[in-house]
Amino acid sequence: MTKVILCGALGRMGRAILKSSLEYADVEVVAGVEHPDCVRDQDLGKAVGMEELAGKVLTSRLEEVLPLGDVVVDFTGNTLSALAHAKLSAYAKKAVVVGTTGFPQEQVEELKELSQLSPILLSPNMSLGVNLLFKLAEIAVKALKDKNFDVEILEIHHRFKKDAPSGTALKLLEVSAKAMGKEPSQVGKFGREGIEPREEEIGVMSLRGGDVVGEHTLYLIGFGERIELTHRATSRSIFAKGALEACRWIKGKPPGFYSMFDVLGI
Ligand SMILES: NC(=O)c1ccc[n+]([C@@H]2O[C@H](COP(=O)([O-])OP(=O)(O)OC[C@H]3O[C@@H](n4cnc5c(N)ncnc54)[C@H](O)[C@@H]3O)[C@@H](O)[C@H]2O)c1
């Protein structure tokens, strides 16, 4: 059994992880950690309205519940609190899975330092499918580099998404650019308009509408043939499931800095 302590337990991702965890026979969320302003009830089950979790502790102090778990997961959405949680956990020799996004490079370096003490996995996208897509993109672009294929990326999201292109599309651009031996800034082309003949570039296009959870396609367009690698997300639970897979995988691993590629073994 992998025992998980969940930081950010009452947030959107926290609740999704709690719900998905009930589907796993060998992963158990043993305690939740929340911001002090949000801890009104110290019973996690009551706080989230899930009877199955009755009796589990909800606290604002990770150190109080650290001895209960094997893996500490952070989805607090605040890189400084995620870093503080990783520090406490690493010194207590607990494994850490960080899903919080937006870490500046110097904080990533701090996480890497801490990963010398205990295993730490950082992934801004925990979907197993999306991570496999990154790997497939790398293989495909490398294989067809210098073979007269053009690479383009298309992403579609719901009408409420504020940022464009999506972080996943940017990561696809990065992976593809590197596979071509380029930097993303050298080849990324965000939208086209007017007279713009194609150069050595990777077009990145964004569509917005309705309730689309998230779609990403990497096109490799040649002469007489075309490859399309598509990932379609139909539920946000893919991130929660990926996080729980990461917990299951990281338990018992030696200290080190890991990603979802390690979980997938690719
Ligand atoms: N890695 C992935 O696959 C993935 C997927 C979706 C979202 N995210 C990221 O996960 C993070 C959380 O997203 P969300 O939509 O759940 O946000 P949210 O705001 O709904 O939830 C964050 C929760 O963390 C709590 N929190 C804040 N500071 C805390 C602290 N110091 N200690 C304990 N709890 C604290 C908040 O009270 C809140 O309940 C964001 O960074 C988001 O970008 C990652």
Side-chain angles (χ1 to χ4, degrees):
M1 178 68 78
T2 301
K3 297 190 170 181
V4 173
I5 298 167
L6 178 58
C7 302
L10 303 186
R12 274 171 298 227
M13 277 307 298
R15 285 168 195 266
I17 289 171
L18 289 173
K19 197 164 164 227
S20 289
S21 73
L22 302 178
E23 294 168 23
Y24 285 72
D26 57 348
V27 183
E28 182 190 358
V29 177
V30 291
V33 179
E34 250 301 330
H35 192 275
D37 296 350
C38 300
V39 182
R40 280 176 213 104
D41 200 316
Q42 305 220 321
D43 184 299
L44 180 61
K46 277 196 193 139
V48 292
M50 289 169 69
E51 268 176 31
E52 299 91 332
L53 299 172
K56 316 249 173 192
V57 182
L58 178 66
T59 175
S60 62
R61 293 171 55 80
L62 173 60
E63 53 274 41
E64 272 176 16
V65 286
L66 254 183
L68 301 177
D70 310 304
V71 185
V72 174
V73 179
D74 186 283
F75 274 90
T76 57
N78 177 323
T79 60
L80 285 174
S81 59
L83 200 51
H85 290 147
K87 200 175 238 171
L88 271 174
S89 311
Y91 278 101
K93 303 283 179 208
K94 302 288 178 183
V96 184
V97 169
V98 184
T100 291
T101 56
F103 281 90
Q105 195 51 41
E106 65 271 18
Q107 289 179 7
V108 174
E109 295 307 321
E110 280 188 64
L111 283 176
K112 280 188 186 163
E113 286 264 311
L114 289 170
S115 73
Q116 291 173 9
L117 299 171
S118 71
I120 296 183
L121 183 148
L122 173 68
S123 175
N125 189 322
M126 299 255 173
S127 150
L128 300 176
V130 162
N131 281 281
L132 182 59
L133 176 67
F134 293 150
K135 194 64 180 184
L136 294 174
E138 183 190 317
I139 293 168
V141 174
K142 214 173 252 173
L144 294 174
K145 180 168 85 98
D146 307 325
K147 302 280 189 297
N148 213 14
F149 276 75
D150 297 321
V151 181
E152 298 272 324
I153 293 164
L154 175 70
E155 56 104 342
I156 315 178
H157 282 87
H158 52 88
R159 71 157 70 144
F160 306 106
K161 186 167 175 64
K162 295 195 188 95
D163 55 317
S166 68
T168 303
L170 289 173
K171 181 74 183 174
L172 264 182
L173 168 65
E174 183 193 319
V175 167
S176 307
K178 294 235 158 102
M180 288 163 69
K182 303 275 177 194
E183 285 303 315
S185 57
Q186 289 176 287
V187 289
K189 172 88 183 160
F190 302 100
R192 293 193 183 88
E193 192 182 24
I195 313 287
E196 289 202 70
R198 195 176 199 286
E199 296 179 356
E200 191 183 18
E201 62 195 27
I202 300 177
V204 184
M205 308 294 148
S206 302
L207 272 59
R208 293 289 173 265
D211 62 352
V212 180
V213 173
E215 292 190 17
H216 294 87
T217 298
L218 180 94
Y219 294 87
L220 290 124
I221 309 172
F223 289 79
E225 59 183 336
R226 173 167 92 225
I227 293 166
E228 299 176 7
L229 297 172
T230 298
H231 178 270
R232 287 195 183 91
T234 51
S235 162
R236 286 178 184 82
S237 69
I238 56 174
F239 306 120
K241 289 189 181 135
L244 290 163
E245 291 291 342
C247 291
R248 182 147 74 174
W249 177 86
I250 204 169
K251 183 187 167 186
K253 289 287 178 298
F257 196 62
Y258 299 106
S259 75
M260 291 304 284
F261 280 11
D262 298 300
V263 177
L264 287 166
I266 54 179

